[in-house]
Amino acid sequence: MIKIGIFGATGYAGYELVKILERHKSVKLAFVTSQSLAGQWLDELYPQAPHLLLIAGETAPLNEVDVVFLALPHAAAAQTAVAALNAGVRVIDLSADFRLKDVETYEKWYGVTHPAPELLETAVYGLTEFARSQLPDAQLVANPGCYPTSVLLALQPVLAAGLPLVGPLIADSKSGVSGAGRAPKQNTHFVTVADNFAPYKIGRTHRHLPEMEQGIAAWNAAAPPLIFSPHLLPVPRGILSTIYVPLAGSPDEAELRGLYEKTYANEPFIHLLPAGQLASLAHVIHSNRCAIALTLAGNTLILTAAIDNLVKGAAGQAVQNMNVMMQLDEEMGLV
Amino acid sequence: MIKIGIFGATGYAGYELVKILERHKSVKLAFVTSQSLAGQWLDELYPQAPHLLLIAGETAPLNEVDVVFLALPHAAAAQTAVAALNAGVRVIDLSADFRLKDVETYEKWYGVTHPAPELLETAVYGLTEFARSQLPDAQLVANPGCYPTSVLLALQPVLAAGLPLVGPLIADSKSGVSGAGRAPKQNTHFVTVADNFAPYKIGRTHRHLPEMEQGIAAWNAAAPPLIFSPHLLPVPRGILSTIYVPLAGSPDEAELRGLYEKTYANEPFIHLLPAGQLASLAHVIHSNRCAIALTLAGNTLILTAAIDNLVKGAAGQAVQNMNVMMQLDEEMGLV
Amino acid sequence: MIKIGIFGATGYAGYELVKILERHKSVKLAFVTSQSLAGQWLDELYPQAPHLLLIAGETAPLNEVDVVFLALPHAAAAQTAVAALNAGVRVIDLSADFRLKDVETYEKWYGVTHPAPELLETAVYGLTEFARSQLPDAQLVANPGCYPTSVLLALQPVLAAGLPLVGPLIADSKSGVSGAGRAPKQNTHFVTVADNFAPYKIGRTHRHLPEMEQGIAAWNAAAPPLIFSPHLLPVPRGILSTIYVPLAGSPDEAELRGLYEKTYANEPFIHLLPAGQLASLAHVIHSNRCAIALTLAGNTLILTAAIDNLVKGAAGQAVQNMNVMMQLDEEMGLV
Amino acid sequence: MIKIGIFGATGYAGYELVKILERHKSVKLAFVTSQSLAGQWLDELYPQAPHLLLIAGETAPLNEVDVVFLALPHAAAAQTAVAALNAGVRVIDLSADFRLKDVETYEKWYGVTHPAPELLETAVYGLTEFARSQLPDAQLVANPGCYPTSVLLALQPVLAAGLPLVGPLIADSKSGVSGAGRAPKQNTHFVTVADNFAPYKIGRTHRHLPEMEQGIAAWNAAAPPLIFSPHLLPVPRGILSTIYVPLAGSPDEAELRGLYEKTYANEPFIHLLPAGQLASLAHVIHSNRCAIALTLAGNTLILTAAIDNLVKGAAGQAVQNMNVMMQLDEEMGLV
């Protein structure tokens, strides 16, 4: 049994981790922490949660665990990662702290000095489908952001194929409200959200942009800039990204589909939809799947990609990464 | 033109007042206040709001208005009421401060010393349909609570008829989230409320209970206690109360219906539904109407009563009260 | 491995059965039927469904299964039950056909001649917690209705204790839209339901009333009539029943709580909430649990009871019944 | 007083017309029709509707009205338009029948022979802001589609300015469920829609595409093709279109904003948002406004445009057209 600790178990991603790990056959949950709610029980916050005592992060017994998951705010996560690694514990970090390889980019977008830039080089960016070979030896995994997961999984085959692109990539993404976090704010008040739909931070201003462009550049150095338009959907969970890829020449739909089939043929969590179907939240809610569909309109490849932001976009992918890291069946706890 | 000021214009009831009064032909809005947001513009908070500057309550020019509406927290409302009355301004108070005639009951349920108990006697409880004769001379109107409006309008005819009751009155009420106020809290977070439905403060523990029992006792001194069970609905607005009245003997449905028809025959805002229909939120949302339906099940009269909590349950009834008070057409601004 | 067939797999309860049985370790799904959609695949209807071919009920190979679940309309279910029993297959029927012991009551409320009244006597009413001793030998189980499950589980301890009651029992129940079935109708259109809340068939007119009164009478022959008020909630799933029990004398809350603790102490699927808490949909959604809370208000015991109408109120309880019937661990597939 | 008839008053657009025209000071509603529900009353369908008898279209007294609104299915609308025009009645048609100037395009996209192609030339495309000079003399107005209204109003200033475009125009649009019509279908069932979000007919396959491209070509003959991706939002009403315009060279945001300010300076129903704000449904729900915001990301102009699909996208714009046609104040009944 792998012994696990969760830092930040009261946020939505942290609680989703608890739910997944509770039914995972090969792990044992040793502790769950909360900064602001230490001393309370998790089921005081979530009525279906197991009866677990929340402890303060500082008091967490790192010597009793093999792996920790960090569902903490950025900067706090990096500090905890250092402590855990120093204690010989492997780390899967759901924050943004180790996703960007370039420390200046991180500091510009997140507005803080990076607490542990020396770890950036060895951290593995855990988009599982493309990180498998690195995970078994990883001490530190940077779990991808929710929006980037949907966008990068959808783009990888067409980008990696090196087809020429003739204009910006556009990702028009829509996310459920859990993506905005559990802390109550005016913009997550039920009365603000219900019956509404609103874009925010569109263009090139959202923090997930550099993370996506880093992934894009890794697969296709010649790729054009990305335009990213997030919107807030009146649903609790789920992300749908509608992505526009402007191809040169006369792209062939069957050929494009072939790229995706080849890439994702044996992927348990990628659900490539047949021609004529489109991805929707209903394809993925409460699952670790990413549903992807291709539609060709003239020279533009339109990708629709859906994930559950808390599962494949956070806790599920984190457990998928742990499974690969610990050489367990990749699907354990996730189906 | 009647000159109006609104204290507390940024809460849901206060903003609903702004919307109604903006299209009212006989009033002019002189000022709108906010304690925490003074200096901001109302349309920064509500995208369809008029472009009105929010001023601090202390700086409000009471000498420029004829009537003020108070959409303030309790205790703060009473203090503002005193200032306004001293300035010769008539007051319609949407808080609970002047609803309860008994100061001890108020202090017990609201946990504060009443700032102006001397005003309790002259304050008119503004359940408009039953306060019309008192309103033209009223200097201070206590606008009823949202739940009490739905329950009292539904109960009045059967209670005032003096029919013997053989058990507790039960009001099982369901309210939209705007009833919980605009300040973001965990229990009004979209993710908490969506797909959920939850009772709260049921039995004899909600602050609206004494207000309802005061109204009940005024119509029927022999009435049994009230059991009141509020629930939170995943909708922005609306209240539906399902009310159980245990009658003695063999009540006759036609006779009961006759009581309601007689009481509400000429009421512009009471929508008495024909036999076989039931009240729902769809009957009343965004209107000042109260829809009421009667169903007899054995000896129990079941009343379903629906209002929009922000209109007939708050701002709409407040304007209805102002219309009667100022001897305008009662429906002005409300249809 | 127990071999299973599901009749009526495309309705909401039928599909919920598929989902539960797919992950049940001791069963193998042999066939799924649909009258109107035979020849289609289940995942054409539900994007996360397994890829199962829907066959016509008449062509279902009864000789290949041990147990069938019937998620069919009433009357059709009874006919299929006869065929299955004749083929030596055990039956768990989710329809109303075998819930009422009295054929006249059935025919009055359902408006059809009962296709197999001779089976009524031996059918076991499968409110699992109170049917355990009968299930291992049962050939035919009548799975309880969704509303009755919530109401009867909440009422059993207080009724069975034989405390005197001084007025009608009242169950004010609220259900999510899946309770109205998958066939599109005006009253399940998104635009009709969203932002709305509506009572329907209140008093003594809903078909679940005789089922509840049959259960009540079995525990307490002196119980008064039941008043039952269903309402439609703008949520996909879940039932919350707020139940008013008028007790004689001066009931003692601790004593009442004791009755519930004693009855439900070792029940894996009954979640008796501690004093001060109330049941909500969030306690039970997507689980087989029934959450029950007690609140005493004067002489009235208020029970709040929540279930997922598709799980404990239908497919989950059906599988729970199968587990007991087949002498498996009662929780298999359900946690 | 202008005498009005509404054909097809029971659909969502038709009922919205009733609501608007009921409070319009200069019109009198002479009749409302329904094909399938003739003989019923409108308030049997909509609980807040006025008590109007629905008559069959064939029996509508055309000689008693000045203007008719057609909220009918395509083809049926054209046939009724012919009858009305022959009776000397002016027609505002909310269907697609007279929007496309080219009969072949119409017949290809709508799959029917056009019942009255001879009227196509004189029909005025009623995007009011750009049709004002033609409306006073129009006998037949083709009211724009909901999606085209949001997209064309957003695109006009930049297109008409003739700036060179370097790739396809992309409109990623999201609509509330009322856009799918009142007839109950599987894809408008509450359980299908709630918690979901789904694209449909994306690329170049939706019927509103040729309508939008016709408008685009009229303003900019050199405009590239349009890619149009509609999505279904879990809200009752509202459309938000996020539109990507790929400009050549180094576009200047202030200059672009200037184009919009000049075009829409005095438009009562165009709400041009200040820099830094984005359009949302909350800006426009239940109003006749179109909110438009500009964001520049590199060379791509991102327009966010919001309307209420039933008001500015249907009934509201129809009344706005009638107001201009009949030389009334353009805002009558709409504010």
Side-chain angles (χ1 to χ4, degrees), chain A:
Chain A
M1 297 292 277
I2 298 160
K3 286 161 288 169
I4 299 288
I6 300 173
F7 285 85
T10 62
Y12 292 134
Y15 173 50
E16 197 76 19
L17 276 168
V18 172
K19 288 197 286 182
I20 295 172
L21 293 170
E22 276 281 306
R23 57 177 196 236
H24 192 293
K25 304 293 187 199
S26 295
V27 311
K28 194 176 154 7
L29 202 48
F31 63 80
V32 291
T33 83
S34 168
Q35 287 318 91
S36 54
L37 300 166
Q40 295 192 35
W41 298 87
L42 190 61
D43 51 347
E44 294 179 65
L45 281 71
Y46 295 99
Q48 294 198 38
H51 189 58
L52 296 174
L53 183 65
L54 296 160
I55 63 171
E58 308 85 70
T59 68
L62 285 169
N63 59 325
E64 294 178 12
V65 294
D66 304 304
V67 178
V68 291
F69 292 87
L70 312 183
L72 296 170
H74 61 85
Q79 289 161 352
T80 306
V82 171
L85 292 168
N86 287 345
V89 176
R90 298 171 85 173
V91 174
I92 298 174
D93 176 22
L94 285 77
S95 88
D97 280 352
F98 301 103
R99 294 177 191 158
L100 298 174
K101 289 295 171 195
D102 182 60
V103 68
E104 284 179 33
T105 305
Y106 172 87
E107 295 186 345
K108 174 185 152 205
W109 283 89
Y110 289 89
V112 293
T113 301
H114 198 296
E118 69 283 3
L119 295 174
L120 288 174
E121 201 177 342
T122 56
V124 172
Y125 185 73
L127 191 68
T128 325
E129 284 72 13
F130 301 100
R132 271 198 203 97
S133 62
Q134 301 167 269
L135 287 167
D137 297 327
Q139 297 303 308
L140 171 58
V141 176
N143 213 59
C146 51
Y147 285 124
T149 296
S150 70
V151 171
L152 293 176
L153 289 174
L155 281 174
Q156 200 277 347
V158 68
L159 289 179
L163 304 182
L165 302 169
V166 294
L169 295 163
I170 295 172
D172 191 289
S173 295
K174 301 87 177 174
S175 172
V177 184
S178 57
R182 184 174 171 272
K185 287 169 286 185
Q186 208 66 55
N187 69 338
T188 57
H189 194 298
F190 183 84
V191 175
T192 309
V193 174
D195 299 338
N196 197 5
F197 178 69
Y200 65 100
K201 291 190 188 155
I202 67 174
R204 294 185 53 79
T205 56
H206 190 282
R207 284 172 172 176
H208 283 173
L209 184 83
E211 180 181 345
M212 291 189 267
E213 290 200 330
Q214 173 182 279
I216 289 168
W219 295 320
N220 187 328
L226 175 68
I227 290 173
F228 172 56
S229 300
H231 301 71
L232 189 69
L233 271 175
V235 302
R237 45 166 73 206
I239 283 177
L240 185 100
S241 291
T242 311
I243 307 167
Y244 301 90
V245 183
L247 297 166
S250 298
D252 179 75
E253 185 163 346
E255 211 169 290
L256 290 167
R257 189 169 297 281
L259 294 174
Y260 281 76
E261 284 165 356
K262 197 173 146 204
T263 307
Y264 290 134
N266 299 309
E267 286 297 343
F269 295 116
I270 307 292
H271 184 194
L272 191 60
L273 297 175
Q277 292 186 20
L278 298 171
S280 75
L281 297 192
H283 284 86
V284 297
I285 290 299
H286 291 290
S287 92
N288 195 50
R289 290 209 283 191
C290 177
I292 300 175
L294 285 74
T295 306
L296 193 61
N299 280 14
T300 301
L301 173 63
I302 311 176
L303 298 159
T304 50
I307 59 169
D308 186 315
N309 59 306
L310 296 178
V311 188
K312 184 63 176 168
Q317 185 158 240
V319 173
Q320 189 183 355
N321 282 327
M322 182 201 70
N323 287 341
V324 180
M325 185 195 248
M326 307 308 280
Q327 309 193 40
L328 303 172
D329 175 354
E330 188 170 329
E331 301 182 50
M332 276 192 82
L334 297 171
V335 286

Side-chain angles (χ1 to χ4, degrees), chain D residues 100-159:
Chain D
L100 298 174
K101 289 298 170 192
D102 182 61
V103 68
E104 283 180 33
T105 305
Y106 172 87
E107 295 185 346
K108 174 185 151 206
W109 284 87
Y110 288 89
V112 293
T113 301
H114 198 295
E118 69 282 2
L119 295 175
L120 289 174
E121 201 177 341
T122 56
V124 171
Y125 184 73
L127 192 68
T128 324
E129 284 71 14
F130 301 100
R132 272 199 201 97
S133 63
Q134 300 168 272
L135 287 167
D137 297 327
Q139 298 302 309
L140 171 58
V141 175
N143 212 57
C146 51
Y147 284 123
T149 296
S150 70
V151 171
L152 292 176
L153 289 174
L155 281 174
Q156 201 276 347
V158 69
L159 290 179

Side-chain angles (χ1 to χ4, degrees), chain D residues 163-198:
Chain D
L163 303 181
L165 302 169
V166 295
L169 295 163
I170 296 172
D172 191 289
S173 295
K174 301 88 177 175
S175 173
V177 184
S178 57
R182 185 174 170 273
K185 286 170 287 188
Q186 209 65 56
N187 69 338
T188 57
H189 193 298
F190 183 85
V191 175
T192 310
V193 174
D195 298 338
N196 196 6
F197 179 68

Side-chain angles (χ1 to χ4, degrees), chain B residues 168 170 172 174 195-200 202-203 227 229 231 233-236 240 242 244 278-282 295 297 300 302, chain C residues 168 170 172 174 195-200 202-203 227 229 231 233-236 240 242 244 278-282 295 297 300 302 304:
Chain B
I170 296 172
D172 191 289
K174 302 87 177 175
D195 299 338
N196 196 4
F197 178 69
Y200 65 101
I202 66 174
I227 290 173
S229 301
H231 300 71
L233 272 176
V235 301
L240 184 99
T242 311
Y244 301 89
L278 299 171
S280 75
L281 297 192
T295 305
T300 301
I302 310 177
Chain C
I170 296 172
D172 191 288
K174 302 87 177 174
D195 299 339
N196 196 5
F197 178 69
Y200 65 100
I202 67 174
I227 290 173
S229 301
H231 301 70
L233 271 175
V235 303
L240 184 100
T242 311
Y244 301 89
L278 298 171
S280 75
L281 297 193
T295 306
T300 302
I302 310 176
T304 51

